[in-house]
Amino acid sequence: MHRPGADPGDMQPADFLCDFCHTPWDGAFPMIEGHRGSLICGRCLSVAYTELVLLEPEQAEQELSCTMCLEKKTGPFWVSPSHESAQICLRCTKQSAGKLHSDPDWDWHKPTLGPANPRLQS
Ligand SMILES: [Zn+2]
Ligand SMILES: [Zn+2]
């Protein structure tokens, strides 16, 4: 998402916020862009990927609209724990993870169920 009040003609890195945790971008961590300026950071993507792809949670089948592709569909979704209106579908999670995984600019890899997994630390 773009920071409310940001000047569209003069966007700074900090004007780009992750839709899922609202962390402003500092240019030093990976961000993946969806439709209409929606964004997910690498850390949120790791959590989404872990929950949707690795853990395959049992989830009530509910129709939600994906923040990243704007499509309305029936689950599974990862819903941001801190911003419930931010939801990412399984397809976007896989696609974004694939893109970021093969992006040479970022040291980001698809998470595994190991001790380095941010979702499993806490
Ligand atoms: Zn985030
Ligand atoms: Zn989607």
Side-chain angles (χ1 to χ4, degrees), residues 52-66:
L52 287 179
V53 180
L54 301 178
L55 300 177
E56 297 180 42
E58 282 181 43
Q59 217 184 70
E61 297 270 304
Q62 47 182 335
E63 196 183 59
L64 295 174
S65 55
C66 176

Side-chain angles (χ1 to χ4, degrees), residues 18-23 40-45:
C18 171
D19 281 75
F20 296 81
C21 63
H22 292 195
T23 303
I40 186 167
C41 73
R43 189 179 164 87
C44 288
L45 185 58

Side-chain angles (χ1 to χ4, degrees), residues 50-102:
T50 302
E51 298 214 350
L52 287 179
V53 180
L54 301 178
L55 300 177
E56 297 180 42
E58 282 181 43
Q59 217 184 70
E61 297 270 304
Q62 47 182 335
E63 196 183 59
L64 295 174
S65 55
C66 176
T67 301
M68 296 297 280
C69 65
L70 309 177
E71 277 177 36
K72 242 185 167 189
K73 51 177 100 175
T74 309
F77 273 87
W78 178 68
V79 179
S80 162
S82 37
H83 303 282
E84 274 179 23
S85 59
Q87 302 150 352
I88 185 168
C89 71
L90 176 62
R91 192 194 63 194
C92 288
T93 303
K94 283 186 170 169
Q95 269 181 3
S96 305
K99 247 192 250 175
L100 208 49
H101 188 79
S102 55

